[in-house]
Amino acid sequence: MAYAIVLFLAMCVTAFAPGPRSGLYRGDEGSALDSPFWWLVYLLPVAAAVYIARTATIVDDAGITVRALLGRRRLPWVEVRGLSVTGRSVYAVTADGAVRLPCVRIADLAAVSRASGGAVPPMREATPKYAPSRRRR
């Protein structure tokens, strides 16, 4: 779903592509592609796609790997003291502080606990929330 947003963003920035009447191109004929700067508007959707592809949390039996846009950090299970939830964010608590786990929601905590191999206490599955239904009167 996140890449659908990137596609929508690409369609939206197309409206801002420099055209023949934008001042960058001073000809009477031609299209927006005649401007040498038309492609610059697509840097924003490309950057968003790279951010989505790069940012992740990988949990396995050896530990947690947190990938960010410009790096990664490996947290072995012996360093993880526990998990903390603040608002909608999940953090791995270590001796140095806390590391935010991107792409991990509260509903995913049971799966993280199972993948830890006993390093994190077992947690029960999250109960699904359904949209409220309208009752007939």
Side-chain angles (χ1 to χ4, degrees):
M1 268 324 273
Y3 290 108
I5 295 170
V6 171
L7 181 63
F8 180 72
L9 182 63
M11 288 188 295
C12 289
V13 299
T14 300
F16 296 105
R21 289 170 183 58
S22 67
L24 296 175
Y25 177 75
R26 298 275 186 209
D28 291 329
E29 297 179 14
S31 68
L33 299 179
D34 291 337
S35 173
F37 302 109
W38 68 269
W39 58 273
L40 288 177
V41 296
Y42 293 106
L43 289 179
L44 185 63
V46 168
V50 168
Y51 178 80
I52 291 169
R54 183 71 185 136
T55 305
T57 299
I58 302 163
V59 180
D60 56 11
D61 57 350
I64 301 174
T65 303
V66 179
R67 284 190 351 194
L69 188 61
L70 298 176
R72 75 173 48 205
R73 183 169 178 186
R74 180 77 176 153
L75 300 170
W77 288 117
V78 294
E79 291 182 14
V80 177
R81 293 184 174 183
L83 299 175
S84 174
V85 177
T86 303
R88 292 175 53 179
S89 299
V90 178
Y91 294 88
V93 180
T94 64
D96 298 336
V99 178
R100 190 172 84 76
L101 304 178
C103 305
V104 176
R105 299 180 312 235
I106 297 172
D108 301 327
L109 290 178
V112 171
S113 174
R114 281 193 308 273
S116 72
V120 175
M123 298 178 201
R124 58 187 175 129
E125 292 288 332
T127 56
K129 289 186 175 180
Y130 299 104
S133 62
R134 187 173 178 181
R135 294 184 189 175
R136 288 190 153 175
R137 295 183 187 193

